[in-house]
Amino acid sequence: MAQQIPDTPEMQPLTRTQVLIAMGVTAVVLLVVSKIWLHFSQLSMLPVRFSVQAWLEGLALGVGISIASAIVYRIWGEYRRSADQYLTMVIKPLLVPDLLWLGLLPGLSEELLFRGVMLPEFGLDELGVLLSSLCFGVLHMSNLKQWSYVVWASLVGIALGLSAVWTGNLLVPIVAHILTNLVSGATWKLSNRD
């Protein structure tokens, strides 16, 4: 009797080393794509301007996204299942100190590409925010069953994109993204210890 292949194969767990390498390689690829895009574009990257106000705005946005994410996680079962599957694959193998890389690498590289380069290219308006946010959401899809995670990532991308447009400062979404990743990663890791 032939063995049947399941319709929805489960993702194989990754090792800590595999997750860290994947985060590093992904960050480098996104940075290279950003650099190449800028090379062929007539537009410049959204600027990063350091100021206390930008840090505070980024922190406030990061806290707001983290609270909204916790609420959505509790009330939307499909998103909770999708997030748990994704976070089990990505965060479970990591040690608590590794979560710093989870905050920094995607927070910097994804914001440089999606809000720093892609958003000005698509337009610093609602359509540009929407298009760059949808691309950001799709980046977070590991399989078709992750659709709810993609929807939430796209909504977060809209919040990050609007903050970039309203402030004209890429530092705001960078700080918010790093904080959101740190908070969600640490919260999930600490509440799902074996």
Side-chain angles (χ1 to χ4, degrees):
M1 176 178 256
Q3 183 179 4
Q4 289 187 342
I5 299 173
D7 291 335
T8 55
E10 293 299 316
M11 289 183 275
Q12 296 299 313
L14 300 174
T15 66
R16 175 181 178 247
T17 302
Q18 288 172 321
V19 171
L20 292 172
I21 289 171
M23 281 194 301
V25 169
T26 301
V28 169
V29 167
L30 294 179
L31 292 172
V32 168
V33 168
S34 299
K35 192 71 170 165
I36 291 170
W37 193 322
L38 282 173
H39 180 75
F40 291 105
S41 176
Q42 300 298 320
L43 299 172
S44 1
M45 188 176 88
L46 196 67
V48 176
R49 290 197 266 335
F50 291 89
S51 71
V52 172
Q53 180 177 345
W55 281 98
L56 293 174
E57 289 170 344
L59 290 172
L61 179 58
V63 167
I65 291 171
S66 297
I67 290 169
S69 184
I71 293 168
V72 169
Y73 183 86
R74 286 183 186 261
I75 64 174
W76 188 12
E78 183 61 36
Y79 170 71
R80 183 173 46 257
R81 284 185 291 281
S82 181
D84 281 342
Q85 182 182 12
Y86 182 82
L87 297 172
T88 298
M89 182 180 68
V90 173
I91 295 175
K92 187 173 183 178
L94 298 179
L95 301 174
V96 172
D98 297 335
L99 297 178
L100 181 61
W101 295 115
L102 180 74
L104 289 174
L105 292 176
L108 290 169
S109 62
E110 291 174 9
E111 290 311 310
L112 286 173
L113 176 60
F114 293 101
R115 263 60 70 180
V117 176
M118 194 178 287
L119 180 57
E121 185 74 32
F122 291 163
L124 293 170
D125 56 17
E126 293 84 6
L127 181 60
V129 168
L130 181 63
L131 291 175
S132 62
S133 298
L134 290 174
C135 292
F136 176 72
V138 169
L139 175 77
H140 291 82
M141 180 169 41
S142 55
N143 65 49
L144 293 177
K145 292 179 74 176
Q146 297 292 109
W147 68 268
S148 57
Y149 198 79
V150 171
V151 168
W152 180 248
S154 297
L155 292 173
V156 169
I158 288 171
L160 295 169
L162 289 173
S163 76
V165 169
W166 291 339
T167 65
N169 189 349
L170 189 58
L171 183 63
V172 174
I174 287 173
V175 169
H177 195 152
I178 290 170
L179 180 63
T180 300
N181 283 3
L182 288 172
V183 168
S184 64
T187 301
W188 192 90
K189 181 76 173 170
L190 296 174
S191 63
N192 288 283
R193 287 189 168 212
D194 292 328

